[in-house]
Amino acid sequence: MIPAEFVTLLFSAASIERWNDHPRPMPFTELDKQAHKAIIAWVLARAEEDAGKSIDWEALIGGTIAECLHRIVLTDLKPPIFHRLMAEKGQELTEWALERLAPAVTPIVDGALFAAIRTHLTAPAPTLERRILKAAHYLATQWEFRLIYHTAPFLYGIDATRAAIEGEIEAHYDLIGVQKIALGKRLFGFVDLVGQLRFQQRWAQTPRLPKTSVLGHLLFVAILSYCGARELGAKSVRRRCNAFYGALFHDLPEVLTRDVISPIKREAPGVEALLKAEERRLMAEVLLPLLPDNWHAQLRAYTETEFACRVREHGEWRILADETVPEALDRDACDPIDGPLIKAMDELAALTEAAQSLAHGVRAPALVEANRRLPEKYHGKRLGALDLGALFAVLRFEG
């Protein structure tokens, strides 16, 4: 089972504020930054594939998770100090961080995830995937910084910060996606639009602590879904990667429609179907034109039937009645997606948001109801080897 300690550790990134020594037009959280970075990394990796490069997608996912957890543990260090210490004492700092991550991460997939995280954080090889993640890191940072710069361009040292960020991005101009984003081409429009999901608060009508955005929620669900797929024993690389990226993009249309609260979607007749139709229209008219044509099918697969168990055969998607991908279809050629797993992790994220807010003393009725309803919904439920009932029960707030 995915340990509750891992879920709460990951969620703590929603309470970590970035740029907290600068005036900001809005709070910037580490969870949002890491989510934006993950999506930018996907863009850069797809662009490299189009240029004929080979991408180790699972290494990219593992690196995304590793760097997110590493930053959570070392978050109190100001970036210039962090980078200086990493240059001079990186091995010691990383070992210290790994010691603190081990109790929460080691139980996942019998230690396989922790081993992958250790390898990424300690191996010195400058792989393409590492360079993509570093470029994505600075592009996401630059997106935040532009808002800060326009808020207070007169601050002492702010131009030096801008020059440092731009210099790091320039060092990655060999990546075709970095060039296109830096030049303000269509890919920049996509990256910018995705960044605007930081502005959309979840549970918009409910007081909560900490508040979370749609963007941060996407990464939270993506990491949980990837861990869940590994725990299910997913054999094919495509199935494991689809669990991550299917979750990372499952709410992407909300940048165009906004987050509609669940009671409206569940209870108002016909609203959910109408919303899905509107999402498809807006995706086709606004969002997909910002991306190369050969990327559209993948994003449609991740956003149009996001919670269905499905495989691709002869170029067409087939929805399965199964709750998990059957072993016979767990092959890269079938491009399998465990939609019900993503749905379960989406609702586990909602329970975590509600339970953590209740633990902080914010007892809005919607939070109390979610804290009661979701564990009841999943009581006794399993997805293959994954005991969802036990996980929901242990994350429920009991106070």
Side-chain angles (χ1 to χ4, degrees):
M1 186 172 75
I2 301 170
E5 293 80 2
F6 177 78
V7 179
T8 53
L9 171 68
L10 186 60
F11 188 69
S12 70
S15 298
I16 299 171
E17 287 202 18
R18 293 170 49 77
W19 301 98
N20 55 15
D21 55 351
H22 287 69
R24 294 151 290 162
M26 57 174 286
F28 293 122
T29 71
E30 192 63 40
L31 186 60
D32 289 350
K33 156 66 186 294
Q34 296 293 331
H36 204 183
K37 170 183 171 179
I39 293 176
I40 294 171
W42 177 84
V43 168
L44 299 182
R46 286 300 309 259
E48 290 300 301
E49 275 194 334
D50 285 357
K53 302 286 183 62
S54 177
I55 299 295
D56 184 339
W57 285 98
E58 201 149 26
L60 191 67
I61 292 169
T64 299
I65 298 171
E67 293 179 13
C68 177
L69 294 175
H70 189 251
R71 203 69 186 100
I72 288 172
V73 174
L74 297 174
T75 189
D76 288 336
L77 296 173
K78 190 174 179 178
I81 306 301
F82 171 77
H83 294 306
R84 179 69 178 269
L85 288 173
M86 286 300 296
E88 297 186 8
K89 294 288 184 181
Q91 182 176 349
E92 292 88 343
L93 267 179
T94 294
E95 287 298 333
W96 182 86
L98 287 168
E99 286 179 12
R100 278 143 188 80
L101 290 173
V105 182
T106 301
I108 301 172
V109 208
D110 296 327
L113 180 64
F114 185 73
I117 288 171
R118 174 179 285 280
T119 297
H120 179 84
L121 294 177
T122 58
T127 63
L128 176 58
E129 291 75 25
R130 291 173 191 274
R131 297 200 72 246
I132 285 171
L133 286 169
K134 189 172 182 180
H137 164 81
Y138 283 106
L139 286 166
T141 297
Q142 184 187 55
W143 192 93
E144 295 174 330
F145 181 75
R146 282 175 172 155
L147 292 174
I148 290 169
Y149 187 83
H150 287 293
T151 301
F154 50 83
L155 284 185
Y156 177 78
I158 199 165
D159 286 316
T161 301
R162 181 175 66 176
I165 294 170
E166 290 174 352
E168 291 288 352
I169 292 171
E170 185 177 348
H172 293 85
Y173 272 5
D174 58 301
L175 300 175
I176 188 67
V178 173
Q179 296 176 33
K180 292 181 177 181
I181 291 170
L183 290 171
K185 300 299 183 182
R186 288 184 302 165
L187 286 185
F188 170 78
F190 179 78
V191 167
D192 181 55
L193 200 57
V194 166
Q196 293 175 37
L197 284 171
R198 295 171 183 245
F199 305 144
Q200 295 191 25
Q201 296 295 317
R202 284 175 52 77
W203 307 72
Q205 300 177 12
T206 303
R208 282 193 307 123
L209 190 65
K211 292 183 179 296
T212 52
S213 73
V214 172
L215 183 59
H217 169 76
L218 293 178
L219 181 65
F220 189 47
V221 178
I223 294 176
L224 294 179
S225 296
Y226 178 74
C227 293
R230 295 287 298 268
E231 290 285 358
L232 283 175
K235 294 179 180 178
S236 64
V237 173
R238 287 303 308 157
R239 183 181 176 191
R240 296 193 296 269
C241 291
N242 282 337
F244 183 85
Y245 288 110
L248 188 64
F249 289 111
H250 79 278
D251 279 339
L252 183 62
E254 289 183 8
V255 75
L256 306 171
T257 64
R258 297 207 311 184
D259 183 24
V260 180
I261 60 174
S262 293
I264 293 177
K265 289 187 284 190
R266 284 198 310 264
E267 298 166 13
V271 166
E272 188 165 11
L274 183 61
L275 278 173
K276 292 301 292 184
E278 188 66 5
E279 285 178 358
R280 286 193 292 271
R281 183 185 69 81
L282 290 171
M283 284 280 290
E285 292 180 3
V286 179
L287 199 146
L288 291 179
L290 299 173
L291 299 171
D293 291 347
N294 60 314
W295 301 11
H296 294 187
Q298 186 176 29
L299 277 187
R300 284 197 181 100
Y302 289 157
T303 58
E304 290 185 3
T305 53
E306 65 271 32
F307 297 139
C309 185
R310 56 211 188 275
V311 294
R312 187 159 50 90
E313 296 173 331
H314 310 295
E316 299 293 331
W317 287 98
R318 177 165 68 93
I319 294 178
L320 308 174
D322 309 76
E323 289 198 314
T324 61
V325 174
E327 186 174 355
L329 298 174
D330 188 2
R331 297 179 285 117
D332 285 342
C334 293
D335 210 9
I337 304 179
D338 286 280
L341 171 66
I342 295 172
K343 176 64 174 177
M345 295 301 104
D346 183 52
E347 296 201 302
L348 185 70
L351 173 63
T352 304
E353 291 168 334
Q356 289 293 306
S357 195
L358 291 171
H360 284 95
V362 182
R363 300 187 61 85
L367 303 176
V368 174
E369 170 62 13
N371 187 64
R372 178 197 64 79
R373 179 179 60 82
L374 290 170
E376 288 181 358
K377 176 180 177 179
Y378 283 91
H379 178 71
K381 183 171 179 57
R382 302 181 70 94
L383 274 179
L386 191 60
D387 190 343
L388 294 175
L391 185 54
F392 274 76
V394 77
L395 283 167
R396 176 180 182 175
F397 177 67
E398 297 291 349

